[in-house]
Amino acid sequence: MTRWLGVALLPCDDDLRSALRVQNEVRGPDGLRPALSVDGNLPHVTVFQGPFVDSLDPRQELDRISASVDLPPSVRLRFAGIVYQATGWVFLSLERPPLLEKLQQATLAILDPLLDREAFDSSKDTSAFTDSEQASYARYGYRYTGDAYAPHITLGRAEDEVAREIVRSAPDRTSVPQTWTFDRLSFYTMGEQGAHSETLALWHLDPS
């Protein structure tokens, strides 16, 4: 049986609440799906997600990932804008420092043998993807790896024109912290639109 799972950085409590506020302020009357919450779909920055074999042990693999990269007690990322991503996505975009690239590379190296490649959707329309995103999807079943890696907090998805209008109006609807702090690494179950719907294993960057 295929398991749809992901690895992500989770924001500190203050920034978790900031993400919920920003989504609520920008979503407008038509809304963005799914709604973020403190006890359901957690705001997060995906390192990698996709289909995995049933035998994967989230706790074991998260321990391997955390041991393979020298992470600081917290990861601080600069805000890069609220952006539209085809098709219909609204992202709170963040910078991509070398540390995140190393974390993703280590994660891919560890999890690659556990991917269920038979579950990749070969019929998926990738015409809106960039060349690097298409290459990423073909190799890993995930759009954002390597050159295509785009750290972000997903604010949600809507009809395409609704999403574009949300992005256009976002500066008038909300204020966004210029720096975001992440203090945990999570292995999670993917929910609606790839949401962080259930935490399977958690690793605190600061062991104290």
Side-chain angles (χ1 to χ4, degrees), residues 27-42:
R27 63 190 309 182
D30 295 302
L32 288 168
R33 293 177 59 89
L36 301 174
S37 68
V38 297
D39 55 3
N41 296 321
L42 292 177

Side-chain angles (χ1 to χ4, degrees), residues 24-88:
N24 187 59
E25 290 174 351
V26 304
R27 63 190 309 182
D30 295 302
L32 288 168
R33 293 177 59 89
L36 301 174
S37 68
V38 297
D39 55 3
N41 296 321
L42 292 177
H44 65 285
V45 169
T46 297
V47 178
F48 179 70
Q49 65 180 25
F52 291 95
V53 297
D54 187 52
S55 59
L56 182 148
D57 183 331
R59 177 73 272 164
Q60 176 179 303
E61 301 309 327
L62 190 63
D63 286 345
R64 292 178 64 202
I65 292 168
S66 60
S68 67
V69 183
D70 186 15
L71 292 170
S74 64
V75 174
R76 293 169 62 85
L77 301 175
R78 290 192 300 272
F79 171 60
I82 292 178
V83 302
Y84 166 84
Q85 180 75 344
T87 52

